[in-house]
Structure formats: structure tokens, C-alpha cells
Amino acid sequence: MQADTVVCGILVDHRGVLGEGCVAARGGLVTGIHRKPVSAERVLDYRGMGVYVSPGFIDMHVHLRGLRLDYKEDERSGTAAAASAGITLVADMPNTVPRLSTPEALEKKLRALRKRSLVDYAVYAGVPDSPGLVEELASLPVAGFKIYPGDLEERMEAVKRILELPGALVVVHPELPEAEKPVAESNSLRAVHRGCHWEAAAVQLLRSLEPRARLHITHASCPSTIEHARNSGFTVDVAPHHLLLQGWGEDCLYRVNPPLRSSIEEWRLLQTLLEAGVNAVASDHAPHAAWEKTEPLTCSPGIAWLEAWPSLLYCLVEAGALRLEEFLRLAGKGPADILGLRGYGVLEPGARADLAAWRPASTRIGAPRWSKARLVPYFMERGCMEVLATLVGGVPVYVEGELTGEAEAVNPFERSRPG
Ligand code: DOR
Ligand code: ZN
């Protein structure tokens, strides 16, 4: 049977390089891996050009905003940014306005994603004010729950009920609510006041509750947090800014929670990553409007990473510090495993045909082109690879600098849908 799409180049996934060949896709799935292009409606042939064809990248921690925060970002602008970076699945956070902690808000968000997302998507439920809603939220097509520090103060009954859900994914922002109390300070003072001890304390607190759910610690900013998480049997991701951002200053562009750490802490975090001590890299793409990042007193925390992070992370491969396979594990198979998604992050027949064609190249990363968040720190200026094409379910959504206008994105947690 004729394929819908064939993409050719140097085939690679987290297990290693398969050699030059072609991936054929039909009906959203990889139907075969071939030496030469097979007959298809569309052929993207990058053979002989030093272009890798890999599983698309997966970002399990993004803020696409939307709803009443759509002036910061929305489901279309955020997923356009993702597609331009070879990211084929994003998992969206529930700290929207309104919060995604009622069935109504979640349904609305899922409808917006269904209509507007250019890449496959998942969404986490927020902790509900009423503990009685936990099971209902868990029965919706969500990836799991997200716990914020404030939930440990204001919604502890519901948190405990979530932790009781056997096997449910619970992603944790690992700080205690006390860490959030100081407000107007310098970035370097925040690193002290909002120190690593809060992260360790949050992990210990959750561990002491003996969860039956699967706990995942996100944006661990300190090596000690990773150690505590692993000793507790939790998975863990790190965000690019805690790994790669050197020489940061007092500017609001560098304000982020958890705060940026000292260069020693950052170096040790990187070392842990290079020693295969973490399960995933996730961006914590946190877009804000330009006026929110230029107003020093009300400075909104967050760095908008989506368009840049795979290319920046690849600099570690270029530098000889990270193996290509490890890069693909951290940016694909690792997050897929945490999310419990089979057929994602791998190149094999039967897998979802979410693919990225990209090549090592020194690139200039300017202001974001697709995200609404235009202000990014200067460290994003140079990347080490460029994305030529991004395919979601075998459909090219981004090709050589432009969106194609096509998309057949799915939410893999919706059982009736493929993937
Ligand atoms: O810096 C941050 N920004 N940290 C968070 O935990 C939330 C995020 C946001 O939503 O802006
Ligand atoms: Zn976040």
C-alpha cells in the first residue's frame, strides 16, 4: 500500500544510528523503515545532506497559556514555536486563568488544543479546591496532575487524594510554599533565600506521604534535589536554564522559579545530566508579554524556551560532552516513558509518525519568531543544530522555515484516537 509520506536521511533514535534510509508513514503511524524511498504521496529526501531523521522531540513541561492568558501565548502560537524546533509533543501546565482544576476548565482547554494545536499534546490537571473532584478530573483525557507549592498549603486534602491514585502521573514543582514568600529581591538573593533546601524539603514531604501515584520532579535546579528524588523512586527532569545559562544578571529576563543557581551548582547539575542521572530535559517554557518582562517591580518569572532549547541542548553533543543517543533519550524517549506513552520517542514500525529532520549547524537564535514571548536572554543567541522539517502523525507541519498550514495533532490520552 502506498505511504502518505516518506522522509529520508540518517535515521537515528535513542538506541543509535540506523544508517541512511527512509521512514514511511501512513495513517499517523510509521509503516516501515526502508533503505530507499518507497512510493508515497509526499517525499522529503534529505539523503546525502548530513541530515538526521529522528523521533520528534517531546517537551513534557510547557505553558501554552491560552484561555484568559492568551495575550502571553496561546495553543497555536506555542505549538507553532514547538513545531519550528522539531518538537512534536508538548504537555501543557494547568496554572492558567482559570486554573485547569475543574472539569469545565479542562474541557475548554482540551477543546482549544484540539482545534489549535499543531503538534501532539497532553495536559495536566491542576489540584482542585474540592478533594471530591480528584477522581473525576483523573477520568478525563489528561496526562496526570501537576502539584505547585501553593497546593501543599491550600489544597493538602486534594493532594493526598491525588497521591492515592495508583499509577497516576503526578508532576511536582519541588518547592515548599514558604519559598514563595519573599518577593522583591535581586536574582542572586533569590538563589539564596529560595535555596536548594526548599526543593529537598518538598521531595521529602511528598515521599513521607507514601504515594501510590508515580511522582515526577520537574525542573530540579539543584543536584541534591535529583539525589533525593531518585532515592525516593521518583523520576526527574531538568530545565535548560538551570543547566546552560551562565553569567546571568539581575535583569527580569533571568527571573525564573526555581531561581538560577550559582555556577558551581549549575556545573554539578550538568555533570549529573552527563552521567545519565536524569530522565528528561523539559523546557518550562513560560511565556510572558514584553511589558511583564520589562517592569522590574512586578517582573513575571519565566523564560520562553520553546523555539530554542533542542538546538541549545545539542551544543552539548557538539562539544563532545553528551552522546547523540543520550540527547535523543533526554529529549524524546525519556519524557515519553515518564508520560507512559508507547510508540513515542522511537523509530520503528507501529510507532506514531512524529519525526524531526535536522542537521548540526551553527545557528543564530534571534528573538522568537513564533512564540508571542519576544524577550529572551542573550544566551539564546547561538544554537548548534537546525530543524529542516517536523512531521506530526506523518504530516509535515513545518518545512524549511515555514508552517505548512497542515496538522493532524492528537492527544494520546484520548483513548478513541490513534497513537
Ligand atoms: O518561572 C516560572 N514561571 N516558574 C513557575 O513555576 C511558573 C512559571 C509560569 O507559569 O510563568
Ligand atoms: Zn512551569
Side-chain angles (χ1 to χ4, degrees):
M1 199 189 290
Q2 201 195 24
D4 294 336
T5 312
V6 166
V7 198
C8 307
I10 304 164
L11 308 184
V12 62
D13 73 6
H14 68 287
R15 295 167 294 193
V17 175
L18 292 170
E20 208 157 57
C22 301
V23 183
R26 192 183 167 79
L29 302 179
V30 172
T31 51
I33 307 241
H34 308 276
R35 285 224 150 272
K36 298 253 154 60
V38 290
S39 156
E41 260 168 57
R42 274 178 296 229
V43 179
L44 296 174
D45 191 356
Y46 296 113
R47 285 175 304 160
M49 296 164 66
V51 173
Y52 289 117
V53 173
S54 75
F57 309 124
I58 296 177
D59 193 333
M60 62 172 296
H61 185 151
V62 305
H63 298 264
L64 297 180
R65 312 287 195 208
L67 304 176
R68 273 186 258 151
L69 296 180
D70 61 1
Y71 69 94
K72 293 177 192 260
E73 191 78 289
D74 64 43
E75 293 80 5
R76 176 54 60 101
S77 61
T79 57
S84 75
I87 296 165
T88 50
L89 186 141
V90 291
D92 197 7
M93 287 293 163
N95 63 337
T96 43
V97 180
R99 288 196 314 122
L100 305 182
S101 54
T102 62
E104 297 72 33
L106 261 169
E107 295 285 7
K108 203 166 173 188
K109 179 70 182 178
L110 284 165
R111 268 200 304 278
L113 283 163
R114 217 169 277 142
K115 203 166 138 205
R116 315 195 70 191
S117 186
L118 297 175
V119 301
D120 288 348
Y121 56 88
V123 63
Y124 302 102
V127 179
D129 292 328
S130 156
L133 278 180
V134 164
E135 288 75 17
E136 188 179 346
L137 294 178
S139 74
L140 295 172
V142 296
F145 285 86
K146 171 74 188 285
I147 295 179
Y148 283 95
D151 297 322
L152 301 175
E153 187 165 70
E154 293 153 31
R155 303 178 188 89
M156 202 52 187
E157 276 318 302
V159 166
K160 285 186 181 155
R161 206 142 153 178
I162 289 167
L163 298 181
E164 281 297 305
L165 297 170
L169 174 63
V170 179
V171 176
V172 179
H173 174 134
E175 288 182 297
L176 289 185
E178 289 84 343
E180 301 201 301
K181 303 264 151 82
V183 271
E185 327 156 313
S186 72
N187 285 338
S188 42
L189 275 177
R190 294 176 87 248
V192 177
H193 293 184
R194 206 165 169 155
C196 294
H197 53 289
W198 292 119
E199 291 197 357
V203 173
Q204 296 300 357
L205 170 69
L206 289 159
R207 177 189 183 153
S208 73
L209 297 172
E210 298 180 7
R212 298 176 71 199
R214 280 184 296 132
L215 261 66
H216 175 77
I217 304 300
T218 192
H219 54 47
S221 67
C222 311
S224 51
T225 312
I226 296 174
E227 204 180 312
H228 287 294
R230 289 171 65 95
N231 289 341
S232 307
F234 305 162
T235 49
V236 60
D237 73 62
V238 293
H241 41 273
H242 295 126
L243 281 176
L244 300 175
L245 183 46
Q246 282 158 5
W248 48 270
E250 293 303 333
D251 199 294
C252 176
L253 289 180
Y254 304 111
R255 176 76 57 94
V256 63
N257 292 328
L260 299 170
R261 305 287 175 202
S262 69
S263 51
I264 301 283
E265 221 61 273
E266 182 179 301
W267 186 82
R268 292 185 51 224
L269 198 70
L270 183 58
Q271 194 176 27
T272 309
L273 177 103
L274 298 179
E275 287 166 357
V278 306
N279 304 87
V281 168
S283 71
D284 194 9
H285 172 74
H288 296 289
W291 60 267
E292 293 170 309
K293 288 305 261 180
T294 45
E295 175 49 67
L297 288 179
T298 52
C299 168
S300 303
I303 299 178
W305 261 108
L306 216 36
E307 279 172 46
W309 75 263
S311 185
L312 285 158
L313 186 67
Y314 188 76
C315 291
L316 293 176
V317 181
E318 193 206 61
L322 188 67
R323 286 187 308 125
L324 175 60
E325 292 90 331
E326 271 292 280
F327 168 75
L328 292 169
R329 179 181 70 83
L330 292 165
K333 182 68 165 78
D337 285 348
I338 296 163
L339 289 162
L341 295 176
R342 279 191 305 164
Y344 277 81
V346 287
L347 264 195
E348 60 193 21
R352 174 107 174 122
D354 282 4
L355 305 166
W358 52 277
R359 70 173 155 216
S362 178
T363 55
R364 238 193 80 76
I365 299 173
R369 179 168 168 210
W370 307 101
S371 171
K372 290 184 186 176
R374 301 280 175 208
L375 290 183
V376 297
Y378 72 89
F379 77 110
M380 289 187 178
E381 279 181 7
R382 189 179 165 268
C384 296
M385 60 92 141
E386 67 180 337
V387 173
L388 299 171
T390 305
L391 292 91
V392 176
V395 176
V397 293
Y398 174 88
V399 179
E400 285 159 46
E402 296 304 329
L403 298 172
T404 61
E406 287 186 75
E408 275 175 38
V410 301
N411 169 4
F413 294 92
E414 236 161 296
R415 258 152 293 185
S416 57
R417 285 161 178 261

